Amino acid sequence: MPVGAKADSTTSSPATGGGKEQRVTKQRRAVSAALDELDDFVSTQELYRILQNQGVSVSLATAYRILQSLADEGLVDVLRNGDGEAVYRRCAVTGHHHHLLCRNCGKAVEVEAPAVETWAARTAAEHGFTEVAHTVEIFGLCPDCTARKAAGSL
């Protein structure tokens, strides 16, 4: 936090392990508000550019720290895009879910997949694994990008 900056309030989150308190700074509120306005996953650098365009004073390093903190608290989903870069999104679904992601435009669709859950639990049990977690992301072209590709404009 910059010298002279002051936290406005704190919040405790059991998701951070041990109820670690997080300062709610104006930068954290700005990052959170920007995520609320976005429909698709965004990289830290893309979010940083959005904040800069809005006149928000936040460093790239601070944006990285805030996004990681939000992910650790379970307040945003984080995954790796096709290039291996971490991307973040505030999801509407609060429970465990998966995503369909467009390789071209980044559009994301949240999906529940009971068959995947059953398969993961069965596979883990067959191999004696416990306390398992999994991530399933499906990459492809969304309907709009598929249409643009068919029309030759992609």
Side-chain angles (χ1 to χ4, degrees):
M1 186 178 327
V3 174
K6 180 172 91 172
D8 297 315
S9 63
T10 59
T11 183
S12 179
S13 171
T16 59
K20 179 181 173 188
E21 289 195 359
Q22 296 293 317
R23 289 190 241 209
V24 182
T25 62
K26 71 177 182 179
Q27 291 91 349
R28 185 177 170 95
R29 281 195 309 275
V31 166
S32 188
L35 288 169
D36 288 342
E37 298 298 317
L38 298 171
D39 291 326
D40 297 322
F41 283 87
V42 64
S43 71
T44 307
Q45 292 194 4
E46 290 168 326
L47 184 62
Y48 173 75
R49 280 191 291 275
I50 290 168
L51 292 168
Q52 294 299 301
N53 289 341
Q54 294 174 349
V56 175
S57 177
V58 61
S59 72
L60 183 58
T62 298
Y64 273 105
R65 282 192 301 275
I66 291 169
L67 286 170
Q68 185 58 57
S69 173
L70 292 171
D72 291 346
E73 294 171 38
L75 299 174
V76 297
D77 278 352
V78 60
L79 55 94
R80 299 279 173 186
N81 65 15
D83 298 327
E85 180 180 29
V87 290
Y88 303 85
R89 179 175 181 223
R90 174 105 57 211
C91 289
V93 177
T94 57
H96 181 74
H97 61 281
H98 305 283
H99 300 97
L100 294 168
L101 298 161
C102 182
R103 283 191 302 264
N104 184 59
C105 71
K107 178 181 176 151
V109 176
E110 296 169 354
V111 294
E112 293 184 24
V116 170
E117 307 310 320
T118 302
W119 171 82
R122 185 182 69 241
T123 301
E126 286 172 1
H127 295 278
F129 279 67
T130 62
E131 299 183 34
V132 297
H134 65 272
T135 303
V136 176
E137 311 303 342
I138 303 168
F139 294 89
L141 292 179
C142 70
D144 292 340
C145 290
T146 298
R148 283 199 298 274
K149 184 175 182 181
S153 61
L154 178 64

